[in-house]
């Protein structure tokens, strides 16, 4: 069951997100409400057959659960002013999103940019040249579509796209930092058991595309495999109470490609 203080935490996060919707931010308000309401009613009937698509969980690879970098994955090192974060990327499941991120990295697009929005025990967000949450564009010069699937989830350490709604991806991204147990109430008809177990280490399940009709529009395309201590350090930095921007800039010095996108 969900305890009162945990429910209060979700509600406080929800209010914080709603108050920030005037900027180019992650639109998680609707998703939080939808998922948290279902979370509180774990013993009630779930989505109807019209909105639920049966997924064979046994056929899923769930690549985030391994720290090994597979042949069909890429690897980058994000050097920040507070340390280096190594992230493996999943071009097999989010090809366009990974291409966008890697190309931007190669061209130095992210070099010198700040983490403009940081919320401890939730996420760190960057990738905006303006540093305000209102800028950034894709390598194609226009927004591109979401790449949602049942293989990737907003677990602790997930690299996911920030946007202003469905199919509005540009250059902004976030790394999930929450470290509280998120597994309680997740349903085995919507989540593989291995993912439910992984959520015991933290994450943001309410951002997932876990069931047909989910309002989520945040493409997960990578997973931190080294440097979560750096992510935690960034998340714990002092921030402005109104904007969530760090008082002292935390910058991305560069993103080095350690293993490029495999050629098909």
């Amino acid at each position: 069951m969900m305890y009162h203080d945990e429910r209060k935490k979700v509600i406080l996060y929800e209010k914080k997100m709603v108050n920030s919707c005037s900027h180019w931010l992650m639109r998680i308000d609707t998703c939080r409400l939808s998922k948290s309401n279902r979370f509180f009613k774990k013993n009630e009937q779930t989505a109807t057959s019209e909105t639920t698509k049966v997924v064979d969980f046994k056929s899923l690879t769930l690549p985030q659960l391994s720290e090994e970098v597979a042949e069909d994955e890429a690897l980058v090192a994000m050097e920040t002013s507070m340390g280096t974060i190594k992230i493996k990327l999943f071009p097999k499941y989010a090809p366009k999103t990974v291409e966008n991120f890697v190309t931007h990295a190669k061209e130095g697009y992210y070099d010198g940019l700040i983490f403009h929005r940081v919320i401890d025990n939730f996420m760190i967000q960057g990738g905006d040249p303006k540093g305000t949450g209102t800028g950034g564009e894709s390598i194609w010069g226009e927004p591109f579509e979401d790449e949602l699937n049942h293989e990737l989830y907003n677990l602790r350490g997930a690299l996911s796209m920030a946007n202003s709604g469905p199919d509005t991806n540009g250059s902004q991204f976030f790394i999930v930092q929450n470290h509280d147990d998120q597994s309680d109430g997740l349903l085995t008809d919507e989540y593989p058991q291995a993912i439910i177990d992984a959520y015991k280490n933290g994450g943001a399940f309410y951002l997932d595309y876990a069931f047909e009709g989910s309002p989520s529009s945040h493409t997960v395309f990578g997973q931190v495999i080294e440097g979560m201590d750096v992510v935690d350090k960034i998340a714990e930095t002092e921030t402005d109470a109104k904007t969530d921007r760090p008082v002292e800039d935390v910058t991305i010095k560069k993103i080095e490609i350690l293993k490029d996108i495999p050629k098909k």
Side-chain angles (χ1 to χ4, degrees):
M1 64 178 292
M2 189 174 195
Y3 297 103
H4 176 71
D5 59 341
E6 293 174 318
R7 178 171 180 169
K8 183 177 180 181
K9 184 180 294 184
V10 171
I11 293 172
L12 289 174
Y13 273 146
E14 167 61 19
K15 290 180 178 178
K16 198 175 188 89
M17 294 299 95
V18 171
N19 291 337
S20 302
C21 280
S22 59
H23 301 288
W24 177 305
L25 300 174
M26 293 172 291
R27 293 185 58 187
I28 67 173
D29 47 337
T30 304
C31 186
R32 281 176 181 271
L33 285 173
S34 173
K35 291 290 283 183
S36 59
N37 285 341
R38 294 169 64 257
F39 189 83
F40 301 145
K41 300 177 181 180
K42 60 179 291 187
N43 292 321
E44 295 185 4
Q45 184 176 3
T46 57
T48 64
S49 58
E50 288 77 20
T51 60
T52 300
K53 183 178 180 180
V54 177
V55 178
D56 179 10
F57 291 147
K58 293 182 180 179
S59 69
L60 302 179
T61 60
L62 307 177
Q64 289 169 282
L65 302 183
S66 171
E67 293 185 355
E68 297 296 322
V69 181
E71 290 185 6
D72 61 358
E73 297 172 351
L75 178 66
V76 301
M78 181 182 294
E79 184 182 345
T80 78
S81 56
M82 299 186 78
T84 299
I85 306 165
K86 289 186 178 181
I87 309 168
K88 68 173 184 173
L89 308 176
F90 308 114
K92 179 178 179 180
Y93 303 110
K96 200 163 185 177
T97 308
V98 172
E99 180 186 0
N100 181 67
F101 183 81
V102 168
T103 302
H104 270 329
K106 288 179 178 178
E107 295 178 350
Y109 186 90
Y110 295 123
D111 296 0
L113 300 190
I114 64 170
F115 285 97
H116 63 272
R117 187 162 175 258
V118 170
I119 303 176
D120 190 18
N121 209 24
F122 178 26
M123 60 89 218
I124 62 175
Q125 183 176 340
D128 175 15
K130 291 185 177 181
T132 62
T134 62
E137 64 178 14
S138 74
I139 60 174
W140 301 283
E142 59 184 10
F144 65 95
E145 66 274 14
D146 304 318
E147 295 178 298
L148 307 175
N149 56 74
H150 294 279
E151 289 281 3
L152 305 173
Y153 298 82
N154 285 278
L155 304 172
R156 172 172 163 81
L159 176 66
S160 192
M161 288 299 288
N163 53 43
S164 57
D167 303 323
T168 60
N169 299 292
S171 64
Q172 292 190 45
F173 59 85
F174 62 96
I175 299 175
V176 179
Q177 184 265 338
N178 173 277
H179 49 64
D180 291 340
D181 186 344
Q182 301 288 303
S183 65
D184 186 21
L186 298 186
L187 305 174
T188 54
D189 60 345
E190 293 176 359
Y191 287 87
Q193 186 60 53
I195 292 297
I196 294 176
D197 292 341
Y199 267 121
K200 292 178 181 180
N201 297 320
F205 70 88
Y206 37 79
L207 300 182
D208 288 339
Y209 175 74
F211 60 96
E212 198 73 14
S214 167
S216 177
S217 60
H218 301 289
T219 301
V220 176
F221 64 102
Q223 181 70 32
V224 174
I225 61 171
E226 187 178 316
M228 272 308 295
D229 58 327
V230 176
V231 176
D232 287 334
K233 192 188 306 182
I234 294 172
E236 293 167 1
T237 193
E238 182 182 359
T239 58
D240 181 275
K242 293 183 178 180
T243 65
D244 296 317
R245 174 171 171 162
V247 174
E248 295 186 9
D249 286 350
V250 180
T251 61
I252 298 171
K253 294 183 177 181
K254 65 177 181 179
I255 298 178
E256 181 182 359
I257 311 301
L258 302 180
K259 181 177 181 292
D260 208 342
I261 299 172
K263 294 181 180 180
K264 295 182 179 179

CSV table of all heavy atoms in Angstrom, one decimal, residues 82 118 120 232-240 244-250:
chain,number,residue,atom,x,y,z
A,82,MET,N,31.0,18.4,-12.4
A,82,MET,CA,31.0,17.8,-11.2
A,82,MET,C,31.4,16.3,-11.3
A,82,MET,O,31.3,15.5,-10.3
A,82,MET,CB,29.6,17.9,-10.5
A,82,MET,CG,29.2,19.3,-10.2
A,82,MET,SD,27.6,19.4,-9.3
A,82,MET,CE,28.2,19.0,-7.6
A,118,VAL,N,17.0,21.2,-12.0
A,118,VAL,CA,17.4,20.1,-11.1
A,118,VAL,C,16.5,20.0,-9.9
A,118,VAL,O,16.3,21.0,-9.2
A,118,VAL,CB,18.9,20.4,-10.6
A,118,VAL,CG1,19.3,19.4,-9.5
A,118,VAL,CG2,19.9,20.4,-11.8
A,120,ASP,N,16.0,17.5,-6.7
A,120,ASP,CA,16.6,16.4,-5.9
A,120,ASP,C,15.5,15.3,-5.7
A,120,ASP,O,14.4,15.6,-5.4
A,120,ASP,CB,17.1,17.0,-4.6
A,120,ASP,CG,17.9,15.9,-3.8
A,120,ASP,OD1,18.4,14.9,-4.4
A,120,ASP,OD2,18.1,16.1,-2.6
A,232,ASP,N,23.7,12.1,-8.5
A,232,ASP,CA,23.2,12.4,-7.2
A,232,ASP,C,23.8,13.7,-6.7
A,232,ASP,O,23.1,14.6,-6.0
A,232,ASP,CB,23.5,11.3,-6.2
A,232,ASP,CG,22.7,10.1,-6.4
A,232,ASP,OD1,21.6,10.2,-6.9
A,232,ASP,OD2,23.1,9.0,-6.0
A,233,LYS,N,25.1,13.9,-6.9
A,233,LYS,CA,25.8,15.2,-6.5
A,233,LYS,C,25.2,16.4,-7.2
A,233,LYS,O,25.0,17.4,-6.5
A,233,LYS,CB,27.3,15.1,-6.8
A,233,LYS,CG,28.1,16.1,-6.1
A,233,LYS,CD,29.6,16.1,-6.6
A,233,LYS,CE,30.2,14.8,-6.5
A,233,LYS,NZ,31.6,14.8,-6.9
A,234,ILE,N,24.9,16.3,-8.5
A,234,ILE,CA,24.3,17.4,-9.2
A,234,ILE,C,22.9,17.6,-8.6
A,234,ILE,O,22.5,18.8,-8.4
A,234,ILE,CB,24.2,17.0,-10.7
A,234,ILE,CG1,25.6,17.0,-11.3
A,234,ILE,CG2,23.4,18.1,-11.4
A,234,ILE,CD1,25.6,16.5,-12.7
A,235,ALA,N,22.1,16.6,-8.4
A,235,ALA,CA,20.8,16.7,-7.9
A,235,ALA,C,20.7,17.4,-6.5
A,235,ALA,O,19.7,18.1,-6.2
A,235,ALA,CB,20.1,15.3,-7.8
A,236,GLU,N,21.7,17.2,-5.7
A,236,GLU,CA,21.8,17.7,-4.4
A,236,GLU,C,22.3,19.2,-4.3
A,236,GLU,O,22.3,19.8,-3.2
A,236,GLU,CB,22.7,16.9,-3.5
A,236,GLU,CG,22.1,15.5,-3.3
A,236,GLU,CD,23.1,14.5,-2.7
A,236,GLU,OE1,24.2,14.9,-2.4
A,236,GLU,OE2,22.7,13.3,-2.5
A,237,THR,N,22.7,19.7,-5.5
A,237,THR,CA,23.2,21.1,-5.5
A,237,THR,C,22.1,22.1,-5.1
A,237,THR,O,20.9,21.8,-5.4
A,237,THR,CB,23.8,21.5,-6.8
A,237,THR,OG1,24.5,22.7,-6.7
A,237,THR,CG2,22.7,21.6,-7.9
A,238,GLU,N,22.4,23.2,-4.6
A,238,GLU,CA,21.4,24.2,-4.2
A,238,GLU,C,20.8,24.8,-5.4
A,238,GLU,O,21.5,25.1,-6.4
A,238,GLU,CB,22.1,25.3,-3.4
A,238,GLU,CG,21.1,26.4,-2.9
A,238,GLU,CD,21.8,27.5,-2.1
A,238,GLU,OE1,23.1,27.5,-2.0
A,238,GLU,OE2,21.1,28.5,-1.7
A,239,THR,N,19.5,25.0,-5.4
A,239,THR,CA,18.8,25.5,-6.6
A,239,THR,C,17.9,26.7,-6.2
A,239,THR,O,17.5,26.9,-5.0
A,239,THR,CB,17.9,24.4,-7.2
A,239,THR,OG1,17.0,23.9,-6.3
A,239,THR,CG2,18.7,23.3,-7.8
A,240,ASP,N,17.5,27.5,-7.2
A,240,ASP,CA,16.5,28.5,-7.0
A,240,ASP,C,15.1,27.9,-6.8
A,240,ASP,O,14.7,27.0,-7.5
A,240,ASP,CB,16.5,29.4,-8.3
A,240,ASP,CG,15.5,30.6,-8.2
A,240,ASP,OD1,14.3,30.4,-8.4
A,240,ASP,OD2,15.9,31.7,-7.8
A,244,ASP,N,14.1,26.1,-10.1
A,244,ASP,CA,14.9,24.8,-10.0
A,244,ASP,C,16.2,24.8,-10.7
A,244,ASP,O,16.8,23.8,-10.9
A,244,ASP,CB,14.0,23.6,-10.5
A,244,ASP,CG,12.8,23.4,-9.7
A,244,ASP,OD1,12.8,23.5,-8.4
A,244,ASP,OD2,11.7,23.2,-10.3
A,245,ARG,N,16.7,26.0,-11.0
A,245,ARG,CA,18.0,26.1,-11.6
A,245,ARG,C,19.1,26.2,-10.5
A,245,ARG,O,18.9,26.9,-9.5
A,245,ARG,CB,18.1,27.4,-12.5
A,245,ARG,CG,19.5,27.7,-13.1
A,245,ARG,CD,19.5,28.8,-14.1
A,245,ARG,NE,20.8,29.2,-14.5
A,245,ARG,CZ,21.1,29.9,-15.6
A,245,ARG,NH1,20.1,30.3,-16.4
A,245,ARG,NH2,22.3,30.2,-15.8
A,246,PRO,N,20.2,25.5,-10.7
A,246,PRO,CA,21.2,25.5,-9.7
A,246,PRO,C,21.7,26.9,-9.5
A,246,PRO,O,21.9,27.7,-10.5
A,246,PRO,CB,22.3,24.6,-10.3
A,246,PRO,CG,21.6,23.6,-11.1
A,246,PRO,CD,20.4,24.4,-11.7
A,247,VAL,N,22.0,27.3,-8.2
A,247,VAL,CA,22.5,28.6,-7.9
A,247,VAL,C,23.8,28.8,-8.6
A,247,VAL,O,24.1,29.9,-9.1
A,247,VAL,CB,22.6,28.8,-6.4
A,247,VAL,CG1,23.2,30.1,-6.0
A,247,VAL,CG2,21.2,28.7,-5.8
A,248,GLU,N,24.7,27.8,-8.5
A,248,GLU,CA,26.0,27.9,-9.2
A,248,GLU,C,25.8,26.9,-10.4
A,248,GLU,O,25.5,25.8,-10.3
A,248,GLU,CB,27.1,27.4,-8.3
A,248,GLU,CG,27.4,28.4,-7.2
A,248,GLU,CD,28.6,28.0,-6.4
A,248,GLU,OE1,29.3,27.1,-6.8
A,248,GLU,OE2,28.8,28.6,-5.3
A,249,ASP,N,26.2,27.4,-11.6
A,249,ASP,CA,26.0,26.6,-12.8
A,249,ASP,C,26.7,25.2,-12.8
A,249,ASP,O,27.9,25.1,-12.3
A,249,ASP,CB,26.6,27.4,-14.0
A,249,ASP,CG,25.7,28.5,-14.5
A,249,ASP,OD1,24.5,28.5,-14.0
A,249,ASP,OD2,26.1,29.3,-15.3
A,250,VAL,N,26.0,24.2,-13.2
A,250,VAL,CA,26.6,22.9,-13.4
A,250,VAL,C,26.6,22.7,-14.9
A,250,VAL,O,25.5,22.7,-15.5
A,250,VAL,CB,25.8,21.8,-12.6
A,250,VAL,CG1,26.4,20.4,-12.9
A,250,VAL,CG2,25.7,22.1,-11.2
